[in-house]
């Protein structure tokens, strides 16, 4: 399940980059995604869960 969340974060980051590249208006989820990924990866490290 955690892997799917991380994969989804990567997909949204890719979508955001495409919107930036082509000049489309898109919601800016970058900071939210970065915080979520950082939190998940830190918790996994603390709990010794290796993705």
């Amino acid at each position: 399940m955690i892997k799917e969340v991380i994969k989804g974060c990567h997909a949204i980051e890719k979508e955001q980059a495409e919107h930036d590249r082509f000049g489309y208006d898109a919601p800016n989820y970058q900071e939210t995604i970065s915080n979520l990924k950082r939190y998940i990866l830190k918790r996994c490290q603390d709990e010794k869960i290796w993705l």
Side-chain angles (χ1 to χ4, degrees):
M1 185 171 93
I2 294 172
K3 283 184 181 182
E4 291 301 314
V5 172
I6 296 292
K7 192 185 328 181
C9 289
H10 287 301
I12 292 174
E13 287 176 326
K14 181 179 176 185
E15 182 180 330
Q16 181 73 40
E18 289 177 2
H19 282 285
D20 293 342
R21 180 175 155 202
F22 295 114
Y24 299 134
D25 290 335
N28 186 356
Y29 297 118
Q30 189 63 38
E31 188 169 345
T32 303
I33 292 168
S34 295
N35 290 338
L36 177 60
K37 282 176 31 181
R38 195 175 316 119
Y39 172 77
I40 290 171
L41 293 172
K42 177 67 176 140
R43 291 293 301 160
C44 287
Q45 182 181 20
D46 291 345
E47 301 295 328
K48 297 183 179 14
I49 300 171
W50 311 113
L51 299 179

